[in-house]
């Protein structure tokens, strides 16, 4: 970025038509994954051709533009970000921003590769990570992920803990699959000192023969159930995201509840997502988007074009998502064709 542009954009920030300040970018670096979670993708998932995916240089250019305009936090996600070759080099490229405009660089991972990368993540400035884990039962882990081994993830989590990374666990609540182990799971998190966020399944992408509706578990119900066993205290803590947080009295951990279906959280949305192909999605649950790959790969396109298009994309952010489940008619409203593994969770 030239000094002139730097000066021009230092003061500006990204504000959408609903007066929400957009400070958080989630970037999916790959749609590929070494697991096949049943609620996320079909068993025989077809992945993108590599040419369709942005190079790290292109992703860096895009991130730089966003950072100049006021993005303070970047979460790297996927697919499984740690299976993309060269991912540590990409973190290293972004690291210098942590000593200037960027407040946090972080990661969402399934944890299978963490044992290899935990130390390097810390060395590259990452301090907190989200690890997705929906069960502590090896058989259920295989059932949910189809091809994974629980032990790999548990090793990874230990490695991350030893590397001083703060860990938050993401747990997708699934009726008749993992709802019978919630208490044990919470106790495990208390023992380990991990914050825990529960997530409702969202209708994103085809998942083959699986039926999301039959495993949908309302977190309102789940929270009631948890409250009957643990002493919960609602707290005002906000990560700027959609989760509402509670504390379990007598413990140091926070419980988060992300309830896109049973409660619309959009009014405080501060984020945008860029998928692995460079398409910016203004909302996870709407189809508004802007294709930055076209701009990044156009030889006539300038830095100013990039910046103008970032501004334009924020002006197009819709007010809210349109997901909803109609249980009486077994119907899902607002289903999105794209998978969460493309856009990043
Ligand atoms: N592979 C990494 C992982 O699993 O953490 C990062 C990408 S994954 C798409 C990000 C998050 O999205 C995970 O916590 C996962 O459980 C969640 N997820 C995937 N598909 C979902 C769906 N249809 N509804 C709700 N959450 C979903
Ligand atoms: Fe892979 Fe994450 Fe989707 Fe599971 S949720 S299949 S780990 S991208």
């Amino acid at each position: 970025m030239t000094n002139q542009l730097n000066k021009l954009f230092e003061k500006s920030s990204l504000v959408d038509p609903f007066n929400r300040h957009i400070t958080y970018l989630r970037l999916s670096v790959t749609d590929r994954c070494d697991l096949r979670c049943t609620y996320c993708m079909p068993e025989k998932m077809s992945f993108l051709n590599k040419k369709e995916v942005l190079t790290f240089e292109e992703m860096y250019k895009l991130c730089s533009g966003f950072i100049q305009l006021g993005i303070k936090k970047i979460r790297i996600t996927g697919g499984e970000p740690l299976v993309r070759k060269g991912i540590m080099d990409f973190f290293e490229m972004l690291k210098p921003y942590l000593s200037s405009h960027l407040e946090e660089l972080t990661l969402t991972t399934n944890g299978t590769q963490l044992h290899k990368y935990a130390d390097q993540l810390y060395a590259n400035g990452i301090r907190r990570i989200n690890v997705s884990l929906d069960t502590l039962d090896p058989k259920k882990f295989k059932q949910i992920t189809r091809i994974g081994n629980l032990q790999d993830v548990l090793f990874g989590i230990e490695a991350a803990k030893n590397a001083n990374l703060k860990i938050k666990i993401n747990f997708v609540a699934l009726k008749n699959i993992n709802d019978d182990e919630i208490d044990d799971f919470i106790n495990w998190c208390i023992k380990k000192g991990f914050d825990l966020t529960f997530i409702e399944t969202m209708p994103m992408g085809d998942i083959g023969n699986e039926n999301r509706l039959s495993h949908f578990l309302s977190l309102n119900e789940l929270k009631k159930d948890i409250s009957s066993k643990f002493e919960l205290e609602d707290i005002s803590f906000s990560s700027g995201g959609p989760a509402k947080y509670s504390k379990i009295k007598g413990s140091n951990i926070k419980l988060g509840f992300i309830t896109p279906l049973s409660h619309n959280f959009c009014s405080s949305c501060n984020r945008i997502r860029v998928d692995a192909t460079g398409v910016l999605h203004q909302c996870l649950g709407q189809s508004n988007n802007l294709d930055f790959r076209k701009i990044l790969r156009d030889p006539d396109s300038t830095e100013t074009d990039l910046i103008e298009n970032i501004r334009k994309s924020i002006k197009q952010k819709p007010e809210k998502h349109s997901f909803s489940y109609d249980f009486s008619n077994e119907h899902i409203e607002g289903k999105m064709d794209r998978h969460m593994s493309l856009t990043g969770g």
Side-chain angles (χ1 to χ4, degrees):
M1 226 13 97
T2 62
N3 277 345
Q4 210 184 1
L5 276 177
N6 247 337
K7 277 215 171 70
L8 182 63
F9 297 122
E10 233 164 37
K11 288 185 195 129
S12 58
S13 67
L14 298 167
V15 183
D16 81 358
F18 305 94
N19 209 25
R20 294 172 296 195
H21 288 249
I22 309 304
T23 52
Y24 185 179
L25 168 66
R26 287 194 170 200
L27 174 64
S28 169
V29 292
T30 178
D31 66 323
R32 286 169 195 255
C33 189
D34 53 353
L35 300 181
R36 298 284 184 279
C37 301
T38 49
Y39 52 79
C40 179
M41 55 175 75
E43 188 166 13
K44 295 203 177 346
M45 178 71 172
S46 47
F47 295 107
L48 293 165
N49 182 313
K50 288 198 175 142
K51 280 192 205 131
E52 295 175 79
V53 174
L54 291 192
T55 64
F56 282 137
E57 286 69 27
E58 289 166 338
M59 287 183 183
Y60 176 76
K61 232 179 181 177
L62 194 53
C63 287
S64 301
F66 274 107
I67 293 169
Q68 297 297 325
L69 288 177
I71 289 292
K72 301 277 179 241
K73 176 170 169 177
I74 297 181
R75 178 175 296 280
I76 302 300
T77 175
E80 176 44 43
L82 297 185
V83 300
R84 179 152 178 194
K85 213 169 148 207
I87 184 67
M88 289 302 132
D89 300 335
F90 184 54
F91 279 115
E92 215 173 316
M93 284 162 87
L94 291 174
K95 186 182 175 190
Y97 280 121
L98 284 169
S99 24
S100 56
H101 303 56
L102 197 60
E103 285 166 12
E104 189 171 35
L105 181 57
T106 178
L107 166 79
T108 297
T109 174
N110 63 26
T112 60
Q113 312 294 316
L114 265 179
H115 63 285
K116 282 188 237 161
Y117 293 124
D119 290 327
Q120 285 180 69
L121 285 168
Y122 191 89
N124 283 323
I126 286 81
R127 293 294 176 264
R128 298 191 306 151
I129 58 171
N130 288 356
V131 182
S132 304
L133 179 62
D134 310 319
T135 179
L136 288 171
D137 174 333
K139 277 198 193 125
K140 277 193 206 169
F141 187 82
K142 184 75 87 191
Q143 180 195 348
I144 295 171
T145 64
R146 296 196 183 99
I147 51 175
N149 283 315
L150 175 65
Q151 206 51 43
D152 295 342
V153 178
L154 296 179
F155 276 147
I157 289 175
E158 278 314 304
K161 214 175 155 204
N162 292 337
N164 282 327
L165 293 167
K166 183 151 170 51
I167 298 164
K168 178 168 81 80
I169 304 289
N170 280 347
F171 181 106
V172 176
L174 301 162
K175 189 152 98 193
N176 297 330
I177 297 184
N178 60 12
D179 48 349
D180 59 342
E181 59 173 306
I182 305 271
D183 304 356
D184 290 345
F185 205 95
I186 293 176
N187 282 322
W188 179 75
C189 286
I190 293 175
K191 195 169 126 208
K192 297 277 182 187
F194 302 151
D195 289 340
L196 169 62
T197 293
F198 294 103
I199 306 174
E200 281 175 354
T201 49
M202 287 175 251
M204 298 207 53
D206 172 50
I207 50 173
N209 298 329
E210 297 291 328
N211 181 350
R212 279 199 187 99
L213 205 58
S214 64
H215 295 302
F216 176 75
L217 184 63
S218 156
L219 293 192
N220 290 339
E221 297 303 313
L222 182 74
K223 195 172 172 190
K224 267 190 217 150
D225 187 45
I226 296 174
S227 307
S228 68
K229 295 167 187 151
F230 296 86
E231 212 177 328
L232 295 192
E233 187 187 339
D234 284 344
I235 51 173
S236 58
F237 173 84
S238 167
S239 62
K244 295 260 178 284
Y245 287 92
S246 301
K247 225 174 155 75
I248 299 184
K249 273 202 180 156
S251 85
N252 289 326
I253 72 158
K254 287 192 281 299
L255 289 189
F257 296 86
I258 301 187
T259 55
L261 279 304
S262 52
H263 174 78
N264 198 317
F265 48 56
C266 304
S267 61
S268 58
C269 184
N270 65 349
R271 62 196 56 193
I272 29 129
R273 293 176 163 82
V274 173
D275 75 25
T277 69
V279 171
L280 179 140
H281 301 272
Q282 283 104 349
C283 172
L284 192 59
Q286 294 282 3
S287 45
N288 310 46
N289 65 50
L290 201 149
D291 184 356
F292 277 96
R293 187 179 63 189
K294 242 193 216 155
I295 299 161
L296 288 161
R297 291 188 180 173
D298 175 354
D300 297 327
S301 175
T302 63
E303 260 177 31
T304 313
D305 294 330
L306 182 67
I307 293 294
E308 285 313 314
N309 276 291
I310 292 177
R311 287 190 190 290
K312 184 171 139 194
S313 69
I314 302 301
K315 293 286 170 223
Q316 293 167 347
K317 189 168 162 66
E319 187 178 9
K320 54 186 174 188
H321 71 68
S322 54
F323 298 136
S324 70
Y325 287 154
D326 174 356
F327 289 96
S328 51
N329 293 313
E330 301 211 335
H331 178 67
I332 302 178
E333 278 299 320
K335 183 173 181 292
M336 304 305 300
D337 288 340
R338 55 176 197 265
H339 291 90
M340 194 86 139
S341 53
L342 172 70
T343 16

